[in-house]
Structures are given as C-alpha cells and as structure tokens.
C-alpha cells in the first residue's frame, strides 16, 4: 500500500499522537525575522567612533545606546531608535539618531533601560580633564529629547569620591530607579543609588541616597565594579560583578554578589565558584536576572547558569525560559529551559553583545559591530546538520576516501579541507567544540569527528591540524551517531547496535557514559535521533523499515511516541522543515523521487525532488531556521531552499561521499 493511500486511513490517529507528542511546545525557532531591515538585519549610520553598548525594547520599538570613543564626537553619547520594520523611528531625534553631550565633561554610558511610557534612562560616568569622574544618569523623553524634569536638563550627576561610575540600572514598580556601580579612588567600593521618579535622590536609602560597600583586602584582587543590580522579591537588592585573583600561583577568576536591604543597608556578601583565567581573554561582564518565580540567576565571563557557558546579558523569555547573550565563546545566544535551566538553543556567528526580548518572544540583538538583528527565536541544537564553521547555515561537505580528506564549502564562496581518518572513515557531520577542558583538550578547541572503519573508534583532529584524539566506540558494525543529549550545546557521540536495539552514548568526547546502554529499538531498525519534542535535547528514535513505523523516546518527559509513516524501502530523514524547533517525520522514496512529510505545524505534504539514485541531504542551507529539501547526485548538490529557492552547486566528484546527518548506515 502506498503512503498516499495509507495516510488517509491513519491521518486521524497521527494527529492524535502528534498532539500528545508535541504538547510541550518548543520555543519559537525561526532565526532571522526577515520582515525586519534587510533579511532581519539593520546597520545604523551612527558616525565615526560610535560604540553601541546596550539595547532595549518596548512595544514594537527598539532603542540602542552608546558613546563615541574617537573622532570629533568623542565624549558624546547617542541613542538610535528603530521601528518594527527596522526603519529609523519617526519623530525620534534626527532620522532616528540622538546625540547628546555634557558641558565640561566626556560622557560614557554602560546601561540602558526603558520605562513603561517609553521614557529612556541611561547610566554611566562623566569624566573630567583632571582625571576625576562622577556618577551619571541621563533621562530622555520618548521622542529622544532630554527630560527637563530630571536633574538639570535631563542630567543627574553625583560626586561621591574621585573616580565614580554607574554600570547598571533597574526600574522599580513605583517609577523610581536604582543604579549600581562604584568608585576606585580612594579605595575600591561598590555603590548603589536610588532616585525618585522626579529625579531626586531618595534620602532614606543608604547615606543620603547612596549606599557604599567597601571591598576589604582589595589589593589581592583585580575587581570589576558591579555591573548589575536587581531588585529581589522581598524588596532588597542584589549587586554583582566579576573579579580576578591569584591562588597558589594560578590566576583565577570568579564573581561576587552583594546584598543590600530595602534601605540600602548591608545584608550580605558572597562569592560564586571560580575558574582558571586561562582562555578568558574577552570583555564579557556579569549580568543578573530575577525570574518571574523569584529565582535569581546570573551569567558572567566565567560561567553563570551552567559551568560550560558564559554571557554578557541574561533575559527572561516567555514560558519560563531564560536567554543568555554574548560572552567569551563567540558571542552566541544560549536558551535555557526552566527545568534545571538547561541550554536549549544556540544562534551562532552573530558576534552578539547584548539582547532584549519583545512581548511576543522575538529577540532584538545588538552585535559588536553596532548592528541590530531581530530574531523570531533560536534554533534547537537537538537536531543536527552538517555544520563545520559555526554559522547558522549548513555546509556542502564531501569525504574523499582516496586522499582521506574532508572538503567543505559554506555555499558563500569559502571552502576548506582537512586530512584525517582512514579510507573507511564515517564522518560525523559537524564540528566538535569543547566547551570545557577535558582529557587534555583545552576549552574552546574546535575539531572534526570521524569514526574509523573496522576499529570502531571515534577520532578527532583539531582545526589547527594538531592533536589527533580517539576513544573506543565499540566493535565494527555499530552505527555511529551524534546529538546533544544533555542540552549543554556540545556534541555528544555514541553508537547504535541494531542487533541489540541498544544505544551507547558518551558525553562530548569525555570518559563519562550517559549511564548504561539504553534499549530502544529492535534488530533492523534505523537510528533517527533528533529533537522531536522541542526541548533542545536529542531524542532517541528509530525507523522500522518492516512496517514504516517511527518510534520516539521523548527526552522532555520520558514518554514514548509511535506513528506509521512510510513504507519499506523509504529513507528516513531528520530535520525541522517548518522552523518550530521540532523535527518533522520525513521519508524519501527513491523509486518515486518523492519526499513525504508530516510537518508539526503545517501538516502533511508531498514534494517531488530527486531521482532513484540520488542521496537525500536535507539541511538548512539558507539560514532561515527551516531545513531544506536537497539531494546529492555524483558531485552536484541540488537544493530546494525554503527562502532562497532552487540552486545546483558542483561540490565533489562521483567517488566522494556526501557528509550529512544520517546515521542509518
């Protein structure tokens, strides 16, 4: 019976089981919001020397703020407003741009907040020619003009000691503002001030509106002034920052937390776990967030939510999820679920500095080059594809057994090649990125996986052509696979033994196993691991050719799912073809050249694309968050890209093996 006919009989039952499978909906996957700017991106014309430092949103507006570090505008600050389409915000400054200076001082800003009515407030420092500086707050009306009811012409200066600076702002429910920073002369101290809605210092907070906490034994530490302040549910406040120090001759880095009462009185001081400083040469900074359920979380350049991941900003997302942006590991977005705050997504290759979240869950991103992106969401790392350069697009890749070389083409004019493995190697189709130091591999090392024929061992060569590592994968005949089974963003490897129906998994090239083998499947099943429930973790799944049935073991709740979708002879494929963060049921029927799919948000479809001898190679080749239908034919890649349309690209030769995320042979 053909799938076309059988589908009419099983459609209702598939809908029922799919509804059960997908009840825990994924965070919107999307990637770039192509209705914003040009393909989701905007590059504002800010002028020479501009350095954007923060981004905030309200309604459909996006505001970025920063200052000028060089040129004729050095010492001035700027605001830039964008509307929903990415165009300059009408009526805001001069074609969306506001420039502002302080008489007699150079201004630097570090944090931006928007009040509920669109009022803008900035925190920073005013620097004078004699080397001294004051705490600085500036407030602007929604149209970008200075607020005449705040301080003097929108500016509030506070002279605490000699070198004072504010790094962070928080807006309270009554419209008042708390800001945190510090002073470094004389001595190093953390500072918090509280400002009433009319711009007056709250005399009941600290000493005349300012609370000061001295750092004891400061000479032993390289202390960053507090870069975050958060109001806690009980009305108290928490400040946080990073510091460095030497312990037993080794340079270390960590974070500290300072708690203040409602009135600014000292409550407590704590230090978070620290790590070796080696490999952390970046400008990421501490940032905290209080979740709707009252939990306090933070990120920093030494790792906050999770010891493998760092960040410069942390933001609450709808549905109890958490976004960490920026950091030392490539300026990515990391999304954590509320169950243990596990990483569930990464958006790579954007050089992200800060991020803000709209009410609808879409994300505004500020990059290190002053660019602005708008994202519909973040793609899941639980469904793999061939990706060797860390971008959000799949690569064209072939392995040539004759010279034991992997040839990679990113589809945009850049190619590379890597010699490793053996003539019988099977390539794991993605980079191996070590997010922590393990087994002599340094954090941040990037390499390329393969499994070596009869020896049944995984191997890796690092991207600099250096060390070649290996670990046992089992005896020959095992089917190697990769996935993210613990949602930490790193690639985990393993083997499936069809004769047993057992899955053996190892934690991203570490000695540790994920417990014992997991029984999921029977003899003859084909492994199709992917993220079918949208929690960011790869689910164990098999396709049973004897009856065309998919069996999925959900990682989100431990439940199971089965659906008949396909017939004997079909090639089962994994991929998220509708950009909802969940893998879709997909088979390629060679003798017809048809793709049969059940998309989790768009339903059933059939697409004719290919011939009997083609090798299906689905992946997201245009970076829009959707996997594309594609086939490989004797050195030519035929792509049906969901955004960019059809393409045929010569990459490879008839004897080459296309590298794609299939683990069924």
């Amino acid at each position: 019976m053909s799938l076309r006919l059988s589908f009419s009989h099983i459609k209702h039952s598939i809908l029922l089981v799919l509804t059960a499978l997908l009840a825990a909906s994924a965070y919107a996957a999307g990637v770039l919001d192509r209705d914003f700017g040009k393909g989701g991106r905007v590059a504002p014309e800010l002028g020479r020397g501009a350095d954007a430092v923060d981004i905030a949103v309200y309604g459909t507006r996006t505001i970025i703020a920063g200052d000028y570090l060089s040129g004729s505008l050095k010492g001035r600050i700027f605001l830039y407003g964008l509307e929903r389409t990415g165009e300059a915000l009408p009526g805001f400054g001069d074609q969306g741009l506001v420039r502002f200076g302080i008489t007699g001082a150079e201004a630097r800003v570090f944090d931006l907040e928007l009040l509920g009515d669109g009022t803008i407030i900035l925190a920073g420092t005013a620097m004078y020619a004699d080397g001294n500086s004051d705490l600085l707050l500036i407030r602007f009306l929604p149209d970008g003009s200075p607020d005449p009811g705040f301080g003097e012409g929108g500016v509030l200066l506070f002279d605490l000691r000699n070198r004072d600076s504010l790094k962070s702002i928080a807006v309270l429910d009554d419209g008042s503002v708390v800001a945190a920073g510090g002073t470094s002369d004389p001595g190093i101290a953390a500072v918090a001030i509280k400002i009433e809605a009319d711009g007056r210092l709250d005399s009941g907070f600290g000493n005349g509106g300012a609370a000061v906490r001295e750092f004891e034994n400061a000479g032993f530490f390289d202390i960053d002034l507090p870069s975050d302040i958060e109001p806690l549910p009980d009305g108290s406040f928490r400040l946080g920052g990073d510091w460095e120090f030497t312990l037993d001759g080794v340079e270390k880095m960590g974070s500290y937390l300072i708690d203040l009462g409602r009135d600014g009185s000292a409550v407590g001081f704590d230090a978070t776990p620290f790590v070796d400083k080696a490999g952390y040469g970046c400008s990421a900074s501490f940032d905290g967030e209080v979740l709707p359920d009252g939990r306090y979380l933070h990120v920093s350049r030494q790792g906050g939510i999770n010891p493998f991941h760092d960040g410069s900003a942390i933001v609450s997302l709808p549905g109890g999820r958490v976004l960490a942006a920026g950091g030392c590991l490539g300026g990515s977005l990391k999304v954590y679920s509320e169950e243990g705050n596990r990483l569930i997504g990464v958006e790579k290759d954007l050089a992200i500095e800060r991020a803000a979240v709209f009410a609808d869950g879409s994300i505004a991103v500020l990059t290190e080059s002053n660019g602005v992106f708008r994202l519909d969401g973040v793609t899941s790392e639980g469904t793999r594809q061939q990706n060797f350069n860390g971008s959000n697009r799949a690569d064209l890749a072939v392995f040539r057994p004759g010279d034991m070389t992997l040839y990679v083409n990113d589809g945009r004019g850049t190619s590379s090649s890597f010699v490793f493995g053996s003539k019988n190697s099977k390539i794991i189709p993605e980079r191996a990125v070590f997010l922590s130091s393990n087994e002599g591999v340094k954090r941040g090392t990037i390499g390329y996986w393969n499994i070596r024929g009869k020896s049944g061992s995984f191997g890796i060569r690092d991207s600099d052509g250096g060390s070649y590592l290996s670990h046992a994968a089992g005896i020959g005949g095992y089917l190697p696979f990769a996935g993210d089974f613990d949602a930490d963003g790193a690639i985990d490897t393993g083997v499936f033994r069809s004769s047993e129906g057992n899955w053996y998994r190892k934690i991203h090239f570490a000695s540790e196993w994920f417990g014992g083998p997991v029984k999921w499947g029977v003899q003859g099943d084909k492994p199709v691991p992917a993220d079918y429930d949208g929690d960011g973790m790869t689910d164990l799944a098999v396709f049973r050719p004897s009856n065309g049935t998919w069996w999925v073991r959900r990682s989100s709740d431990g439940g199971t799912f089965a659906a008949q979708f396909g017939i004997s002879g079909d090639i089962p494929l994994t991929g998220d073809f509708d950009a909802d963060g969940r893998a879709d049921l997909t088979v390629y029927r060679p003798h017809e050249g048809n793709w049969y799919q059940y998309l989790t948000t768009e339903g059933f479809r059939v697409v004719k694309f290919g011939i009997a001898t083609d090798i299906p190679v689905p992946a997201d080749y245009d970076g829009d968050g959707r996997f594309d239908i594609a086939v490989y034919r004797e050195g030519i890649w035929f792509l049906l890209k969901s955004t960019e349309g059809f393409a045929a690209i010569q990459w490879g030769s008839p004897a080459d093996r296309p590298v794609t995320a299939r683990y069924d042979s």
Side-chain angles (χ1 to χ4, degrees):
M1 179 180 292
S2 72
L3 189 145
R4 280 184 183 275
L5 295 175
S6 63
F7 181 79
S8 64
H9 295 285
I10 65 172
K11 181 177 180 180
H12 181 66
S13 61
I14 285 182
L15 286 173
L16 290 178
V17 291
L18 282 179
T19 300
L21 170 70
L22 304 169
S25 177
Y27 181 75
V31 188
L32 292 176
D33 178 350
R34 296 181 183 273
D35 292 328
F36 179 80
K38 185 176 181 180
R41 314 176 184 210
V42 173
E45 294 290 338
L46 302 174
R48 180 188 168 194
D51 178 39
V53 298
D54 203 5
I55 189 168
V57 301
Y58 68 99
T60 61
R61 294 181 168 194
T62 301
I63 305 293
I64 64 172
D67 35 47
Y68 291 94
L69 302 181
S70 63
S72 61
L73 296 172
K74 182 180 178 181
R76 305 186 73 182
I77 64 98
F78 69 83
L79 298 170
Y80 191 85
L82 301 98
E83 58 180 336
R84 175 65 184 83
T85 61
E87 299 292 329
L89 192 60
F92 188 84
D94 181 9
Q95 298 183 355
L97 179 62
V98 172
R99 291 180 173 134
F100 185 80
I102 300 174
T103 302
E106 291 188 4
R108 290 289 309 275
V109 297
F110 299 105
D111 198 20
L112 159 70
E113 287 292 335
L114 301 180
L115 281 64
D117 62 356
T119 298
I120 302 163
I121 188 163
L122 304 178
T125 182
M127 301 179 295
Y128 303 101
D130 62 2
N132 291 329
S133 57
D134 290 341
L135 306 176
L136 171 66
L137 289 173
I138 312 174
R139 197 163 77 184
F140 296 88
L141 299 175
D143 64 359
S145 60
D147 184 351
F150 185 84
E152 295 185 10
V155 177
L156 180 65
L157 296 169
F158 189 78
D159 183 11
L160 183 66
R161 294 182 181 174
N162 291 330
R163 295 178 182 174
D164 309 329
S165 179
L166 291 176
K167 303 284 189 176
S168 177
I169 326 165
V171 180
L172 306 183
D173 292 339
D174 62 1
S176 61
V177 171
V178 289
T183 182
S184 58
D185 184 21
I188 300 176
V191 175
I193 63 174
K194 187 177 181 185
I195 309 297
E196 301 287 6
D198 61 3
R200 294 181 296 110
L201 283 170
D202 181 349
S203 59
F205 183 85
N207 182 11
V212 179
R213 205 258 186 222
E214 305 285 350
F215 284 98
E216 299 177 1
N217 301 315
F220 293 98
F221 300 92
D222 182 4
I223 300 172
D224 291 347
L225 297 179
S227 58
D228 183 70
I229 184 169
E230 298 293 330
L232 301 180
D234 63 359
S236 62
F237 303 95
R238 176 164 292 169
L239 288 68
D242 289 331
W243 57 6
E244 300 175 6
F245 51 94
T246 299
L247 180 64
D248 296 330
V250 179
E251 289 186 309
K252 303 285 186 177
M253 60 188 304
S255 302
Y256 60 83
L257 302 172
I258 299 172
D259 287 334
L260 302 176
R262 293 172 180 263
D263 60 357
S265 57
V267 173
F269 179 89
D270 195 12
T272 69
F274 50 82
V275 297
D276 290 351
K277 182 182 176 182
Y280 287 84
C282 76
S283 60
S285 60
F286 184 101
D287 190 41
E289 177 85 346
V290 177
L291 304 186
D293 64 6
R295 286 181 297 157
Y296 174 86
L297 298 176
H298 75 271
V299 291
S300 68
R301 66 176 181 266
Q302 60 89 16
I305 296 176
N306 180 307
F308 298 136
H309 298 95
D310 57 354
S312 296
I314 179 171
V315 188
S316 294
L317 294 171
R321 304 194 179 193
V322 181
L323 171 73
C328 294
L329 296 180
S332 63
L333 293 181
K334 288 87 66 175
V335 179
Y336 296 74
S337 71
E338 57 185 346
E339 298 88 3
N341 300 306
R342 300 170 306 188
L343 175 69
I344 68 168
V346 174
E347 174 60 40
K348 304 172 182 174
D349 201 31
L350 296 183
I352 294 166
E353 186 162 306
R354 307 284 289 185
V357 179
F358 290 93
D360 65 1
S362 58
I363 303 166
V365 171
L366 175 66
T367 72
E368 294 174 0
S369 60
N370 299 336
V372 179
F373 289 73
R374 182 160 172 153
L375 308 176
D376 288 331
V378 181
T379 53
S380 169
E381 287 290 294
T383 301
R384 315 308 304 185
Q385 62 180 345
Q386 66 270 19
N387 192 328
F388 296 94
N389 60 14
S391 72
N392 60 345
R393 294 175 177 238
D395 301 313
L396 312 179
V398 296
F399 180 67
R400 186 164 299 165
D403 57 13
M404 295 177 292
T405 300
L406 172 69
Y407 294 91
V408 179
N409 183 336
D410 69 358
R412 290 173 286 178
T414 301
S415 61
S416 54
S417 61
F418 308 91
V419 178
F420 68 103
S422 69
K423 292 182 179 180
N424 296 319
S425 286
K426 296 179 180 179
I427 307 301
I428 301 297
E430 53 216 326
R431 300 189 308 170
V433 181
F434 292 83
L435 301 177
S436 63
S437 296
N438 205 332
E439 297 190 351
V441 184
K442 292 183 179 180
R443 172 186 166 120
T445 295
I446 297 172
Y448 304 90
W449 289 107
N450 77 106
I451 186 167
R452 306 180 79 179
K454 295 181 180 180
S455 68
S457 64
F458 280 104
I460 182 174
R461 171 180 171 169
D462 71 31
S463 56
D464 294 327
S467 59
Y468 184 91
L469 311 169
S470 65
H471 70 69
I475 63 174
Y478 280 50
L479 297 176
F481 62 83
D484 184 2
F485 294 94
D486 54 1
D488 68 350
I491 301 165
D492 308 310
T493 57
V495 290
F496 174 72
R497 191 173 189 184
S498 178
S499 61
E500 301 174 349
N502 281 337
W503 298 70
Y504 299 83
R505 297 172 296 165
K506 274 195 172 181
I507 302 173
H508 58 276
F509 206 81
S511 298
E512 297 87 354
W513 291 85
F514 284 100
V518 178
K519 175 76 173 177
W520 190 250
V522 299
Q523 186 170 3
D525 285 352
K526 295 180 178 295
V528 283
D531 183 7
Y532 293 91
D533 54 5
D535 66 349
M537 298 175 71
T538 304
D539 305 309
L540 301 182
V542 295
F543 175 76
R544 192 158 296 163
S546 60
N547 57 15
T549 302
W550 296 69
W551 295 85
V552 177
R553 178 170 173 160
R554 296 191 299 263
S555 54
S556 56
D557 61 5
T560 62
F561 156 69
Q564 194 278 323
F565 197 83
I567 61 175
S568 179
D570 286 349
I571 298 175
L573 303 165
T574 59
D576 177 12
F577 292 84
D578 53 6
D580 68 350
R582 298 165 287 183
D584 305 301
L585 303 186
T586 299
V587 296
Y588 177 67
R589 189 162 299 167
H591 70 274
E592 297 177 359
N594 282 337
W595 296 65
Y596 292 89
Q597 299 185 296
Y598 195 92
L599 308 184
T600 51
T601 58
E602 299 176 8
F604 178 71
R605 75 176 184 180
V606 181
V607 179
K608 187 168 184 61
F609 195 80
I611 60 176
T613 55
D614 286 346
I615 300 173
V617 287
D620 181 8
Y621 294 97
D622 53 12
D624 64 355
R626 294 172 175 261
F627 269 53
D628 305 309
I629 288 173
V631 296
Y632 177 82
R633 185 182 305 162
E634 296 186 336
I636 301 177
W637 297 70
F638 295 93
L639 313 176
L640 189 59
K641 294 186 280 189
S642 51
T643 296
E644 298 176 353
F646 174 78
I649 302 173
Q650 174 75 48
W651 187 253
S653 66
D656 292 345
R657 303 172 189 164
V659 176
T660 183
R662 280 181 55 195
Y663 308 113
D664 59 339
S665 62

